[in-house]
Amino acid sequence: MTPPTTAAPVRDGSPEFAVGSLVHARGREWVVLPDSTSELLVLRPLGGTDDDIAGVLPALETVEHARFAPPSPSDLGDQQAAGLLRSALRIGFRSSAGPFRSLAGISVEPRPYQLVPLLMALRQETVRLLIADDVGIGKTVESGLIAAELLVQGDARGLVVLCSPALAEQWRAELRGKFGVDAELVLASTIGRLERGRLYGQSVFRPDRNYVVSTDFIKSPRHRDDFIKNCPDLVIVDEAHTCVADTGQGGSRQQRQQRYTLLRALADDPNRHLLLVTATPHSGKEEPFRNLLGLLDERLETISLDRQAGRDLLAQHFVQRRRADIRDDFRDDANFPSDRRSREDAYTLHPDYRRLLDEVISYARETIRSADGALQQRIRWWSALALLRALGSSPAAVRKTLHTRAGVQDADSVIEADAIGSRTVTDSADDEAADSADAAPGALLAPGAADPDAAVLDEEDKARLLAMADAAKALAGPTKDRKLKQLTDTVKELLAEGYNPIVFCRFISTAEYVRTHLDAVLNKGGKGKRSGAGKSAGKKAYAVEAVTGQLSPDQRVARIAALTEEDEDGEAPPERRVLVATDCLSEGVNLQESFDAVVHYDLAWNPTRHEQREGRVDRFGQRRDVVKTVTLYGSDNAIDGIVLDVLLRKHARIRKATGISVPVPDSSENVMQAVLEGLILRGEHPQYEQESLFAVESATGRQTAELHQAWQSAAERETASRSRYAQNAVKRDEVAKEVAEVRASLGTGEEVRRFTRHALTALRGVPGPLPGESDGFTLDSEALPAPLRDAFATLLGPRHPRPVTFHDTPTAPRGEVALTRTDPVVASVARFVLDAALDDRMDQWQRPARRCGVVRTTAVSKRTTLLLVRYRFQLSLPGRDGVLRQQLAEDARLLAFRGSAANPDWLPEDEAVALLEARAAQNSDRAFAQERIEGILGSLESLMPTLEERGEQLAARLLDSHRRVRGAFRDVRGATGPARRGLRVDVQGRPDVLGVYHYLPVPVLDGTTTNGEAR
């Protein structure tokens, strides 16, 4: 749509077209953008978006300077016209005049606390930051904001994100969807295609491109050197704590050391921006923490952090906040659940299940004791532990384990056996483990396995194993599997309360077993009625799906989408849903939009895994105020009792006391093994009492006490370190000042909500209430103008749920709308309203915003004129290389004066804005209103000096905000230098008067107005 101009193009004889200037070409008006040269102009249509940008060659096409056409006196609107036009203009800005260049062009509305790392980054010459906020606060958004800002400003040419392969696709989706950054995936599965597409001798990597790269793939010597040589100048490292090692990390040390070698080489380039992201930078162990800090500044490896100088240096590079910190500092801007309510649900084993447990323990004891040599003993120990772990999970896991060859049988030494066993049986804290450890680990000798030890099993032992498998099969179902029955009751209770839970299981076979049962019992009879109008009968009442490590990362996302989004026939999913998952989903995938409760069906043998599971729903963007977590355990199952007493309950007590999650010390695995050995090897009686395991005088009791003491000490050190290293480089009032500048330029959330609802209602949409959200609404969109309906279908999907749901939240589920300025649907509404206001050829009902208006109101006592003025600025931003980069900024301001244009009494800005709330008390004669507007338009030229002076004042404010945000730069070695030279903000061209609105006092019976003026 081309907004017309009625004024003839104005030629000034200048061959140059400055950034931000208005030109006329190809029959329409355009704004000149950065990157334009005298040979090639890069132009965006007036009122258009970045999708409409075009290049024009002035040597081949006629390009002329132009001025924005003034409003037409006949284009009169009602009392809401000015507010709608102003909001549409501000929402549509993609080059805002605020201190942050990227915020107008991204599809996420950051909360104020998320701007703190960005402010810290902009005060460094080369950005080196460790972002260590708690799980769920939004570290991805915080690092993405920094990346987007550096790329837009030109301080970074390209970006690479180093992460685990399981999270690569999500990182790429986040960068593209929220920040408009397209990145190439570099994984073991994609490298072949990338190498085939390059020229001979050319690297896969280019410094000016964006990539998401598997850390473990690129750390190998084959690819590492080429990557380091051609790596972009901005690197984000996800889960950075896994990239440093100390002398006591056993089998994982080599992997971590290779990652650290890679990062050390990248950090050695003093011009490379480096963002390290982790929720657990310091788990009570100083060496890996200092190695991590040394990547930011080598002095941080050795400097004393007990002294003020060390803490000041750390404060420049380190930000770490708990949720409580954010709630205290930013109050209503902390968009988190207010509480996580946790409970334990106990069950007792069925006698048949208990008999099988005793039989497995007895079998394990006998086979381990009869082993020949240390290696065979460790192999049998881990295989027995795998069988016990499976039995505690489900009958399906037992059968799968008994029929699966144990991977530990491949070990050639005791050390290797312990490494394999630990990786496949326990729950490693390594971030890579959760994605690959949900397969059944296998028993020592599955029937028919080709194994050298098979010969030692006689027919009686083989029959015993087969009998165990048969017994496990007979236990399947809620009658004898009381754990499954308890889960059913727990899930039904959560669903009845309106929660949508995730059920976490340890093994794939257990997850499928649980999914099958829940699907059958919740949808008993196969079909159920759907709640809500327009939803057909014949569909299942509850959606139940399973996601396990058998699926690729892309398939997992697709499976979740199938559970939470409309089907191929356009049918919305059930409002009640259950997701059954293994720990492949305990990290990375954000589930807070569709789920709000977690059930731990299987106890993890590492408390961190429980925290990761719960963090999938208890995080930024969760719309429910209280999330729930439930832990199932067997009250008479000694294995569950050990895990609870040694690990989980202690972790919960520390978290409740300190407000933080402290990882369990490395010695926990040794203690767990010692306690389990006490149960398996020394428990001679079937009714073995586990309490004796923890008696103070017993060896295992002493080990457990020592573990808990070490854990408590680590918690105290972590609490002290958080207090000592607390983020204090940026204060709350600094953030508040910048947030005010941003909102002054881009508008507030309340403005966006009001605009969207009023505009859509004026365009014949039919709003309705949204239960649970007072400021949200639903919308019947069938009567909207065709271009808007098409936009909705494109952005939400052609079969999106109807009516359309608009949430008063920063995020929204797929197919629905978040009432934020960066939501694509809201942006499309703003663009339509603005384009329609500028084009008086459109049908009048499709033009809710108008450029003129006359309103008689009690809000004024003297005639008052309100002008909506758009300003354009040319920013000269100096880069690290000393080059000035020209950028465009736009701002829309309301200016108002009392009296006549010949002798105006200008109002403060807040009084001008308040006029938008004025409501008409009487109708105005159209001919009279048109005459009034014509008089004001005829006087615009006399007002122009004041409008231009306001523009200069805005330019000075903008310059001050850029200087304030950036402060004094520090280089990677910590040396302080002056702010970069050459930073300038210049008003570009004359201001555009987009709207003229005249407010008159209400007349009284004697022929005067309320203040005695003649009518």
Side-chain angles (χ1 to χ4, degrees), residues 362-489:
S362 177
Y363 171 79
R365 182 183 308 119
E366 294 170 16
T367 56
I368 294 170
R369 287 177 173 175
S370 64
D372 183 14
L375 175 59
Q376 191 178 86
Q377 187 178 60
R378 296 309 293 170
I379 290 174
R380 292 188 175 189
W381 162 256
W382 285 111
S383 300
L385 210 56
L387 188 55
L388 280 171
R389 189 84 198 266
L391 184 58
S393 180
S394 71
V398 175
R399 295 186 64 222
K400 183 68 174 177
T401 299
L402 285 169
H403 288 85
T404 301
R405 182 177 182 275
V408 74
Q409 288 176 272
D410 296 328
D412 294 326
S413 66
V414 171
I415 294 177
E416 187 178 1
D418 285 344
I420 296 173
S422 176
R423 186 171 63 249
T424 57
V425 178
T426 66
D427 296 319
S428 169
D430 194 303
D431 68 314
E432 304 287 336
D435 193 59
S436 58
D438 56 0
L444 173 61
L445 292 174
D451 188 272
D453 288 328
V456 304
L457 283 181
D458 55 25
E459 292 301 321
E460 181 180 350
D461 288 332
K462 293 178 182 178
R464 193 174 179 184
L465 287 173
L466 290 173
M468 288 183 195
D470 291 339
K473 182 178 180 180
L475 295 174
T479 301
K480 293 187 177 181
D481 186 356
R482 292 177 177 173
K483 180 182 179 183
L484 186 64
K485 184 179 184 303
Q486 179 61 54
L487 173 70
T488 304
D489 295 340

Side-chain angles (χ1 to χ4, degrees), residues 170-209:
Q170 179 175 333
W171 263 103
R172 182 169 72 164
E174 292 274 311
L175 290 173
R176 178 191 295 131
K178 292 181 177 178
F179 303 102
V181 177
D182 286 315
E184 187 77 60
L185 285 180
V186 182
L187 311 169
S189 58
T190 65
I191 191 65
R193 172 180 57 81
L194 295 174
E195 289 178 337
R196 288 191 298 271
R198 66 180 177 176
L199 298 175
Y200 178 77
Q202 187 182 61
S203 172
V204 167
F205 299 99
R206 286 180 48 178
D208 58 348
R209 296 287 179 86

Side-chain angles (χ1 to χ4, degrees), residues 389-398 400 438 440 481 483-484 487 503-517 546 548 580-582 601-602:
R389 189 84 198 266
L391 184 58
S393 180
S394 71
V398 175
K400 183 68 174 177
D438 56 0
D481 186 356
K483 180 182 179 183
L484 186 64
L487 173 70
V503 179
F504 277 103
C505 306
R506 176 61 172 80
F507 301 111
I508 295 171
S509 49
T510 299
E512 294 294 347
Y513 167 75
V514 167
R515 185 208 66 80
T516 300
H517 171 74
T548 69
V580 183
T582 62
Y601 188 71
D602 291 332

Side-chain angles (χ1 to χ4, degrees), residues 128-129 237 240 243-244 259-268 272 274 276 289-298 300-301 972:
R128 295 290 175 95
L129 277 184
V237 183
C243 298
V244 290
R259 298 171 194 160
Y260 179 72
T261 300
L262 170 67
L263 294 193
R264 183 70 267 171
L266 293 174
D268 284 343
R272 176 165 284 117
L274 185 62
L276 305 179
F289 178 58
R290 289 302 190 113
N291 288 340
L292 201 61
L293 294 179
L295 296 171
L296 307 174
D297 187 317
E298 291 183 354
L300 288 171
E301 287 193 51
V972 73

Side-chain angles (χ1 to χ4, degrees), residues 351-640:
D352 290 352
Y353 214 122
R354 180 59 189 245
R355 277 193 289 273
L356 180 58
L357 176 61
D358 291 340
E359 169 66 8
V360 169
I361 292 176
S362 177
Y363 171 79
R365 182 183 308 119
E366 294 170 16
T367 56
I368 294 170
R369 287 177 173 175
S370 64
D372 183 14
L375 175 59
Q376 191 178 86
Q377 187 178 60
R378 296 309 293 170
I379 290 174
R380 292 188 175 189
W381 162 256
W382 285 111
S383 300
L385 210 56
L387 188 55
L388 280 171
R389 189 84 198 266
L391 184 58
S393 180
S394 71
V398 175
R399 295 186 64 222
K400 183 68 174 177
T401 299
L402 285 169
H403 288 85
T404 301
R405 182 177 182 275
V408 74
Q409 288 176 272
D410 296 328
D412 294 326
S413 66
V414 171
I415 294 177
E416 187 178 1
D418 285 344
I420 296 173
S422 176
R423 186 171 63 249
T424 57
V425 178
T426 66
D427 296 319
S428 169
D430 194 303
D431 68 314
E432 304 287 336
D435 193 59
S436 58
D438 56 0
L444 173 61
L445 292 174
D451 188 272
D453 288 328
V456 304
L457 283 181
D458 55 25
E459 292 301 321
E460 181 180 350
D461 288 332
K462 293 178 182 178
R464 193 174 179 184
L465 287 173
L466 290 173
M468 288 183 195
D470 291 339
K473 182 178 180 180
L475 295 174
T479 301
K480 293 187 177 181
D481 186 356
R482 292 177 177 173
K483 180 182 179 183
L484 186 64
K485 184 179 184 303
Q486 179 61 54
L487 173 70
T488 304
D489 295 340
T490 299
V491 168
K492 284 183 175 180
E493 178 186 338
L494 290 170
L495 290 169
E497 293 173 352
Y499 285 87
N500 293 314
I502 307 171
V503 179
F504 277 103
C505 306
R506 176 61 172 80
F507 301 111
I508 295 171
S509 49
T510 299
E512 294 294 347
Y513 167 75
V514 167
R515 185 208 66 80
T516 300
H517 171 74
L518 288 179
D519 191 31
V521 73
L522 293 177
N523 297 295
K524 194 171 184 179
K527 305 293 180 182
K529 292 183 178 181
R530 300 285 298 279
S531 60
K535 297 177 180 178
S536 62
K539 292 281 189 178
K540 290 182 178 180
Y542 299 90
V544 184
E545 284 289 356
V547 174
T548 69
Q550 285 183 318
L551 304 175
S552 69
D554 287 348
Q555 290 172 325
R556 296 170 201 170
V557 173
R559 179 71 59 87
I560 295 169
L563 179 64
T564 59
E565 299 177 7
E566 63 182 19
D567 61 25
E568 59 185 11
D569 297 323
E571 196 73 42
E575 295 178 0
R576 300 273 73 84
R577 63 186 75 94
V578 180
L579 175 63
V580 183
T582 62
D583 285 314
C584 71
L585 286 188
S586 67
E587 290 189 276
V589 179
N590 297 330
L591 302 170
Q592 72 273 19
E593 292 181 358
S594 302
F595 301 93
D596 42 31
V598 165
V599 179
H600 302 285
Y601 188 71
D602 291 332
L603 302 181
W605 288 14
N606 188 324
T608 300
R609 191 61 51 80
H610 272 230
E611 188 69 22
Q612 291 167 341
R613 292 172 176 179
E614 295 171 5
R616 294 308 95 206
V617 300
D618 187 9
R619 62 192 302 111
F620 174 77
Q622 172 61 255
R623 291 189 298 277
R624 191 177 276 276
D625 186 52
V626 176
V627 298
K628 289 192 172 184
T629 68
V630 183
T631 300
L632 303 186
Y633 74 98
S635 60
D636 55 349
N637 183 335
I639 306 294
D640 283 0

Side-chain angles (χ1 to χ4, degrees), residues 269-316:
D269 181 351
N271 295 317
R272 176 165 284 117
H273 302 295
L274 185 62
L275 302 178
L276 305 179
V277 180
T278 174
T280 53
H282 191 297
S283 56
K285 300 172 71 173
E286 191 71 5
E287 183 183 353
F289 178 58
R290 289 302 190 113
N291 288 340
L292 201 61
L293 294 179
L295 296 171
L296 307 174
D297 187 317
E298 291 183 354
R299 293 174 297 170
L300 288 171
E301 287 193 51
T302 56
I303 196 171
S304 173
L305 298 179
D306 293 324
R307 297 184 177 181
Q308 191 62 44
R311 291 198 292 270
D312 289 345
L313 177 62
L314 181 64
Q316 298 168 25

Side-chain angles (χ1 to χ4, degrees), residues 853-874:
V854 174
V855 180
R856 286 199 178 273
T857 177
T858 58
V860 298
S861 59
K862 190 174 183 180
R863 57 178 172 168
T864 304
T865 302
L866 179 69
L867 304 177
L868 175 58
V869 184
R870 175 167 61 183
Y871 293 95
R872 290 186 296 275
F873 306 94
Q874 180 175 302

